[in-house]
Amino acid sequence: MSSFDLNKIVRPNVLAMEPYSCARDEFEGEAAIFLDANENSLGSLAGDGYNRYPDPRQTPLRLKVAKIKGVLPEQVFFGNGSDEPIDLLFRAFCRPTIDRAIINPPTYGMYKVQAAINETPIDEILLTPDFQLQTDKILAAITPDTKLIFICSPNNPSGNLMQKADIVKIIENFNGIVVVDEAYIDFAETESFTKAIEKYPNLIVLQTFSKAWGMAALRCGMAFAQKDIIDVLLKIKYPYNINILTQETVFKALDRESDKNLMVKEILQNRKELIEQLNACKCVECTYPTNANFVLTKVSDAPAIYRYLTNCGIVVRSRHNVALCNNGLRITIGTKEENKSLINALNNFCK
């Protein structure tokens, strides 16, 4: 069982630093006159209220999301997409060139990018041929300098869920932070790991409003963890990392959760139909099981088909050069009309 101690894995400089503090952080209560932040007191050319900095703690949004997700407000962090908390985790826990992280290719590419930016060495443990975790190899790869393990579930680009028992085994046998990235969890018929953060002090769960909620342009990601971890992220984030337009728009959209669920239902139906149609194409060798709003498809000649589709004005994601994904194309589930155009193009290529 993990003997996790947060103070032992936070970078010493982060543990010792005094965070930047704005007056809105320090002030509690109601005020009518704000002369603290050197804003333009006359107003804004963009409209009423935009001359003021947004709430640095996103308090109303945090309260609302916490209620929907069944967690405490102090267990919620908002980032500029999920990429911001990924970056902050490296900055909080990994001393450059010393501490290490583990990823499991093929997986979301930003883990490796952020590791490189933060000069964090990466240990890569390939998934199995059916895209599951090699749990024993992951645990064997842990060293005293390993601070982070990233697990994407449903996985990108393969689309499948990782076995829950494997994730739990890693959490319970690692003294560092386990990051479970659930960007696509709304498309999967399984319980989120947010339900487990109360039990595991070394667990952080990432989610986003970009996928099922359809708000990719707003750049609002979420991280869920016990308060001590969230406090570390709040300590080192930029003061006003979520702009007021994003906060207000997401807040209003949360009242339409039933509409989000209807969109998810339609996407899942379109996914079912698209997989059937893909499997009927001569140039498609197989489509892998998916719990996301995309499918990884193995085709006869991924580079040629990718170029052909691009010439047809259809952009998919080539994963041909990614580990375990030879001749793989990752295809987002589109509208019925978009999916029909894709299938027509593939059938024309196969002639």
Side-chain angles (χ1 to χ4, degrees):
M1 181 64 70
S2 167
S3 56
F4 177 74
D5 184 344
L6 185 64
N7 289 331
K8 289 183 179 180
I9 69 164
V10 177
R11 287 172 59 184
N13 63 306
V14 171
L15 204 59
M17 67 175 275
E18 288 292 328
Y20 176 84
S21 179
C22 62
R24 309 291 162 85
D25 277 323
E26 301 163 0
F27 173 79
E28 293 184 5
E30 298 294 327
I33 299 174
F34 293 97
L35 304 175
D36 60 295
N38 304 332
E39 301 150 326
N40 185 336
S41 300
L42 300 183
S44 169
L45 299 178
D48 292 341
Y50 297 137
N51 58 318
R52 301 298 181 185
Y53 286 109
D55 176 3
R57 297 291 177 116
Q58 306 98 27
T59 304
L61 186 59
R62 176 171 284 106
L63 291 169
K64 200 166 188 176
V65 166
K67 185 176 181 180
I68 290 173
K69 298 293 184 179
V71 300
L72 299 174
E74 58 266 30
Q75 295 172 331
V76 183
F77 175 87
F78 295 108
N80 191 332
S82 296
D83 295 337
E84 183 181 8
I86 292 169
D87 176 44
L88 292 177
L89 287 167
F90 282 108
R91 286 200 266 155
F93 299 112
C94 295
R95 294 167 295 172
T97 74
I98 299 173
D99 293 321
R100 311 181 71 84
I102 293 175
I103 63 172
N104 305 279
T107 191
Y108 181 43
M110 281 303 294
Y111 310 145
K112 196 169 184 177
V113 170
Q114 295 287 10
I117 291 170
N118 288 283
E119 296 186 281
T120 301
I122 286 286
D123 295 303
E124 301 185 33
I125 309 299
L126 282 179
L127 297 176
T128 65
D130 59 347
F131 303 113
Q132 287 297 323
L133 297 167
Q134 296 197 70
T135 309
D136 292 339
K137 287 188 176 181
I138 293 170
L139 294 176
I142 294 170
T143 74
D145 294 326
T146 306
K147 297 300 192 295
L148 300 171
I149 298 176
F150 288 90
I151 299 171
C152 191
S153 182
N155 188 45
N156 177 5
S158 57
N160 62 292
L161 285 163
M162 299 301 167
Q163 294 292 334
K164 183 177 181 180
D166 291 340
I167 298 176
V168 169
K169 185 175 181 179
I170 293 168
I171 295 171
E172 292 183 343
N173 289 278
F174 179 47
N175 293 331
I177 301 285
V178 177
V179 185
V180 179
D181 189 342
E182 294 185 338
Y184 302 96
I185 195 65
D186 292 283
F187 304 103
E189 295 181 2
T190 190
E191 189 175 71
S192 166
F193 264 88
T194 54
K195 307 297 182 184
I197 62 173
E198 202 67 59
K199 181 177 181 180
Y200 298 116
N202 62 330
L203 170 64
I204 184 164
V205 179
L206 302 179
Q207 292 185 8
T208 181
F209 288 109
S210 295
K211 311 302 180 183
W213 288 89
M215 294 187 279
L218 296 178
R219 307 309 302 130
C220 190
M222 298 167 280
F224 304 93
Q226 290 192 11
K227 181 179 183 298
D228 289 348
I229 292 179
I230 297 299
D231 285 345
V232 173
L233 300 182
L234 291 172
K235 185 177 185 180
I236 64 174
K237 78 174 182 70
Y238 289 119
Y240 307 106
N241 62 323
I242 307 296
N243 70 72
I244 190 62
L245 286 171
T246 292
Q247 291 188 44
E248 291 178 345
T249 305
V250 172
F251 187 89
K252 292 176 182 177
L254 288 173
D255 291 329
R256 301 179 60 190
E257 187 176 13
S258 59
D259 292 331
K260 183 268 289 184
N261 293 337
L262 287 174
M263 285 198 297
V264 168
K265 184 178 180 180
E266 183 174 349
I267 289 169
L268 294 181
Q269 178 59 35
N270 289 350
R271 185 181 75 187
K272 179 176 180 293
E273 294 172 2
L274 179 61
I275 290 173
E276 293 173 353
Q277 293 162 356
L278 285 169
N279 287 334
C281 292
K282 293 180 181 178
C283 57
V284 172
E285 295 184 12
C286 71
T287 55
Y288 295 96
T290 181
N291 298 98
N293 68 331
F294 61 85
V295 62
L296 180 65
T297 301
K298 186 174 182 179
V299 295
S300 56
D301 187 342
I305 293 174
Y306 176 81
R307 289 192 299 271
Y308 179 80
L309 291 176
T310 301
N311 290 335
C312 295
I314 300 171
V315 182
V316 297
R317 191 73 188 271
S318 176
R319 300 286 78 189
H320 174 58
N321 294 321
V322 174
L324 303 179
C325 297
N326 184 53
N327 274 323
L329 297 177
R330 194 194 70 192
I331 302 172
T332 303
I333 308 304
T335 64
K336 287 184 181 296
E337 293 75 18
E338 290 170 335
N339 293 342
K340 183 178 179 180
S341 296
L342 169 69
I343 294 300
N344 287 339
L346 288 173
N347 286 330
N348 286 333
F349 178 87
C350 295
K351 287 180 179 178

